[in-house]
Amino acid sequence: MAAFSSLTDRLSNAFKNLRSKGKLSEADIDGTIREIRRALLDADVALDVVRSFTARIRERALGTEVSEALNPAQQVVKIVNEELTDVLGRGVDRPLNFAKNPPTIIMLAGLQGAGKTTLAGKLGYWLKDTGHTPLLVAADLQRPNAVTQLQVVGERAGVPVYAPEKGVQSDGGDAVSAPGETSGDPVKVARDGVALARQKLYDVVIIDTAGRLGVDEVLMKQARDIRDAVQPNEILFVIDAMIGQDAVKTAKAFDEGVDFTGVVLSKLDGDARGGAALSVASVTGKPILFASTGEGLKDFEVFHPDRMASRILD
Ligand code: GDP
C-alpha cells in the first residue's frame, strides 16, 4: 500500500536487528521500540497513539515467554502485528450495517476534497455488484458542480442518481422519477431521495453531503440536520489519508459534530505518509469500514484491521 510503504520499510528495518539474537535483552527491546516510535512519528501517526502503542508493545515484549515455535524476533513482530490490528480496529471488524427494513441509508461526511463523491460511486458500484439496488442522492449543494460530478460518477457506475435540479435524476440504469419538486435545501433533497427509494424500492440510499475546506459549524449543523431528517443506518466519515497531523483534529470535530458510525480512509494509493489515518480509529473509537485506493470505480476495498496490519508489516 503506497501510503504506508515508507512505514513498512522502516518497521522491517527495526525488526532486522533482532533476527540474529537468540534471546532478547531489555536493551534490545528498547532499541527496537525506539525505532518503531520514530518510524510511526515520521509517518504522521499521532503522538498519543504512538505513546500508548509502543508502551503496550514494550510491556508485552518484555513479558513474553520463551516460545518453541517462534524466535524472539518473530515474537516481537507478532506482538506488533496484534497491537497494530488493535490500533486500526479497536478490536472491531464489522461489515456495513444494513437496515432490517430497507432502504439502508448511508450518509457521507467529511472535508471538501476528502473523496466523498468518488466514494459514493465506488460504494454504489460495489453494492450493485453484490446484488443491491443503490440510489445516490446529491445533497452537496455547496460546491459548484458537485451535483454534476455525482451524476457523472453515477453514470459511470451504472447507479441512478437523485439530484435536486427540477427533480430530475440522471439515469444510470432504469429511469426513475422524483416525488414532487425539490429546492436548493440539502435536507429536503436527502429526505426526498429517501422517499424516492422507498417508493421505487431502491434498497440502499447513499447521500453525498457538502464538505468545506476546514471544519466549520455551519457545515456541521447542515450535516446534523440531514442526519436528523433521514436517520441514517451509517454515517461514514471519509478522510484523506494524506491529510497529515490534521487527521486527528478533523476526525474529532466530525465525531463530535455528527457522531459518525464508521470511517473510510481514502487516497491510500498516495505517496505521502499515510500514518495519520492510523490514528483515526484509535482517537475516535469508530471502526474503519472501507479503504479507497485510487480514482477508479474498483479502487475500493472492505477494510479488515488484521489484513491491513499484516500488509503494513509485510
Ligand atoms: P469530495 O469533495 O469529498 O466529494 O471529494 P471528491 O470525491 O471530489 O475527490 C476529490 C479528488 O480526489 C478528486 O480529484 C478525486 O478523483 C480524488 N480521489 C478521490 N478518492 C481518491 C483515491 O482513493 N485515490 C486518489 N488517488 N484520488 C482520489
Side-chain angles (χ1 to χ4, degrees):
M1 190 120 309
F4 300 124
S5 58
S6 160
L7 181 60
T8 299
D9 290 348
R10 297 277 300 272
L11 289 176
S12 141
N13 271 332
F15 301 133
K16 213 173 266 167
N17 301 332
L18 295 178
R19 273 203 214 120
S20 53
K21 314 263 177 186
K23 188 173 181 309
L24 299 185
S25 66
E26 191 163 339
D28 293 329
I29 289 172
D30 281 340
T32 304
I33 283 173
R34 250 195 316 277
E35 286 177 53
I36 294 174
R37 181 182 296 130
R38 263 192 234 119
L40 292 169
L41 288 174
D42 286 348
D44 267 343
V45 181
L47 183 60
D48 285 353
V49 176
V50 175
R51 277 210 189 106
S52 54
F53 178 70
T54 48
R56 278 196 310 275
I57 292 170
R58 183 172 191 276
E59 191 182 325
R60 288 187 58 190
L62 286 173
T64 45
E65 309 270 310
V66 176
S67 159
E68 301 274 310
L70 299 175
N71 65 37
Q74 288 168 328
Q75 284 190 46
V76 173
V77 173
K78 181 169 175 283
I79 291 169
V80 173
N81 188 322
E82 286 166 4
E83 292 296 333
L84 196 52
T85 301
D86 192 53
V87 165
L88 287 165
R90 310 311 291 163
V92 181
D93 184 352
R94 72 159 174 87
L96 199 62
N97 177 26
F98 286 100
K100 281 200 194 78
N101 298 313
T104 298
I105 300 168
I106 302 170
M107 172 177 155
L108 308 181
L111 294 180
Q112 183 173 319
K116 292 182 296 300
T117 307
T118 308
L119 176 78
K122 292 175 179 186
L123 204 50
Y125 184 81
W126 174 74
L127 285 164
K128 203 179 121 192
D129 209 38
T130 50
H132 292 277
T133 50
L135 175 71
L136 309 186
V137 175
D140 176 358
L141 308 184
Q142 221 72 41
R143 186 160 57 90
N145 285 335
V147 171
T148 317
Q149 193 194 337
L150 191 72
Q151 285 171 324
V152 169
V153 158
E155 213 146 295
R156 206 174 291 150
V159 175
V161 178
Y162 178 80
E165 288 136 345
K166 297 183 231 105
V168 175
Q169 24 326 128
S170 86
D171 160 16
D174 44 341
V176 287
S177 62
E181 63 179 40
T182 52
S183 70
D185 172 8
V187 176
K188 179 164 165 42
V189 172
R191 216 188 259 131
D192 288 350
V194 172
L196 179 69
R198 288 221 162 83
Q199 188 195 334
K200 298 280 180 182
L201 304 181
Y202 291 104
D203 76 344
V204 184
V205 184
I206 300 166
I207 303 173
D208 191 19
T209 68
R212 303 276 164 90
L213 289 175
V215 173
D216 79 48
E217 235 340 280
V218 177
L219 154 79
M220 276 312 168
K221 180 165 182 325
Q222 184 184 96
R224 264 198 305 276
D225 288 347
I226 294 175
R227 175 195 71 187
D228 295 346
V230 301
Q231 306 271 321
N233 303 90
E234 294 276 12
I235 302 168
L236 299 182
F237 168 60
V238 184
I239 184 157
D240 178 344
M242 303 296 125
I243 190 172
Q245 289 290 351
D246 272 354
V248 168
K249 197 176 74 191
T250 310
K252 278 186 178 160
F254 274 88
D255 197 22
E256 282 163 23
V258 295
D259 193 16
F260 56 80
T261 59
V263 179
V264 179
L265 299 180
S266 74
K267 310 192 190 179
L268 279 186
D269 53 311
D271 284 333
R273 310 172 289 189
L278 300 191
S279 315
V280 170
S282 197
V283 166
T284 63
K286 305 285 171 73
I288 302 170
L289 300 187
F290 300 103
S292 229
T293 56
E295 296 186 86
L297 274 176
K298 294 183 187 169
D299 300 328
F300 167 83
E301 57 189 78
V302 176
F303 189 90
H304 299 289
D306 55 345
R307 287 189 217 165
M308 186 55 78
S310 298
R311 268 153 77 178
I312 290 172
L313 293 176
D314 205 8

